Amino acid sequence: MADKKEKAEGKKPEKADRPAKAGQGGAKAAKAPKGEKGEKPAKGEKGEAAGKGEAKVARAPEERVTPRLKTYFEEVVRPKLTKEFGYKNRMEVPVLEKVVINMGIGEGVNDRKKVEQAATDLGLISGQKAVITKARKSIATFKVRDGQPIGCKVTLRKARMFEFIDRLINIGLPRVRDFRGLNPKSFDGGGNYTIGIKEHLIFPEIDYDKASDVWGMDITVCTSAKTDAEARALLAAFNFPFRQ
């Protein structure tokens, strides 16, 4: 019994009373608070702290210029059409939605480089990268295989659309040989108008001396007009030179 009492009295010291191991107690006591632990430098100070290279120079945002044809539409064309057709709401007035330019290259069947050159020229004319179109099925008579590049196209909207139409009316069409006006019957019944051009050299972006080939193109102007009469009045208000 005496031995048991001695063992009971000789209990191990409690956890709090135990001496800390060498090299650990001091480290735990000096532990930094959570908020002060390895604070990251501010976003602007990152380059200075790292000392690697110079800070990046922020680019100034490009100034957006409203196309003059769009301003002309809001100030002149919209009020004119509202008065002519008696629209009650300004949203009823037909507008230009998009312009689709298609260029078919028949010679591209034998030479793919000609299709790529045509796509480059179309990109210069429109100010937007052209998409190369491919054949959907094989036709043995024309030596065309499925998936073979045969042309290119581009779709213009908003500012680029207005800028292209402006150049087409004032620069491109006046340079067409023996031009006698646009055919007023080339509407499709849904308010869309198509223009056929035989030479893409009429646009000033193409250097006449450097052009190796001459290609034609189809330009389709898509509007929100419900009838051909409204679409024709819209395009006539934009000074499209229709044949009388």
Side-chain angles (χ1 to χ4, degrees), residues 4-209:
K4 287 182 180 179
K5 284 182 181 181
E6 288 176 6
K7 285 182 181 179
E9 289 174 2
K11 287 181 181 178
K12 292 182 181 179
E14 293 182 6
K15 199 173 185 180
D17 300 331
R18 288 181 185 176
K21 291 183 182 179
Q24 285 186 0
K28 287 183 179 179
K31 193 174 182 180
K34 196 171 184 180
E36 300 175 4
K37 184 180 179 181
E39 290 184 358
K40 294 182 179 179
K43 221 171 187 179
E45 300 170 359
K46 192 172 182 181
E48 298 173 6
K52 293 181 180 179
E54 298 177 358
K56 291 183 179 179
V57 179
R59 287 186 180 180
E62 294 182 4
E63 185 181 356
R64 293 188 178 183
V65 180
T66 304
R68 65 174 186 172
L69 212 61
K70 186 176 182 180
T71 306
Y72 178 77
F73 171 76
E74 295 293 343
E75 296 178 355
V76 180
V77 177
R78 193 187 287 273
K80 181 181 178 181
L81 294 179
T82 303
K83 185 178 180 180
E84 183 179 347
F85 291 94
Y87 296 121
K88 296 180 181 179
N89 190 336
R90 68 189 302 274
M91 302 304 292
E92 293 182 55
V93 180
V95 298
L96 299 175
E97 292 184 337
K98 62 181 178 179
V99 173
V100 181
I101 310 171
N102 181 38
M103 188 182 287
I105 312 300
E107 301 170 4
V109 175
N110 300 322
D111 190 359
R112 181 187 172 86
K113 291 183 179 179
K114 291 191 176 183
V115 177
E116 294 175 354
Q117 182 61 40
T120 303
D121 289 352
L122 186 56
L124 293 174
I125 293 170
S126 62
Q128 183 174 306
K129 186 177 180 181
V131 178
I132 295 178
T133 54
K134 298 180 180 179
R136 295 183 179 179
K137 62 179 181 179
S138 302
I139 303 176
T141 308
F142 299 105
K143 299 180 181 179
V144 176
R145 294 181 180 179
D146 183 18
Q148 189 172 7
I150 54 174
C152 54
K153 69 173 183 177
V154 67
T155 303
L156 304 176
R157 290 184 174 86
K158 297 183 180 180
R160 288 179 179 172
M161 172 188 68
F162 283 108
E163 290 170 357
F164 173 78
I165 292 177
D166 195 356
R167 286 184 284 113
L168 175 67
I169 297 170
N170 299 305
I171 301 175
L173 293 179
R175 297 177 67 181
V176 176
R177 295 180 185 178
D178 302 326
F179 182 69
R180 298 181 181 179
L182 299 174
N183 185 2
K185 297 181 181 180
S186 295
F187 291 92
D188 65 346
N192 304 318
Y193 184 72
T194 303
I195 306 169
I197 294 177
K198 295 180 180 179
E199 298 178 353
H200 76 298
L201 301 175
I202 63 172
F203 293 96
E205 291 83 3
I206 306 300
D207 191 348
Y208 187 86
D209 296 328

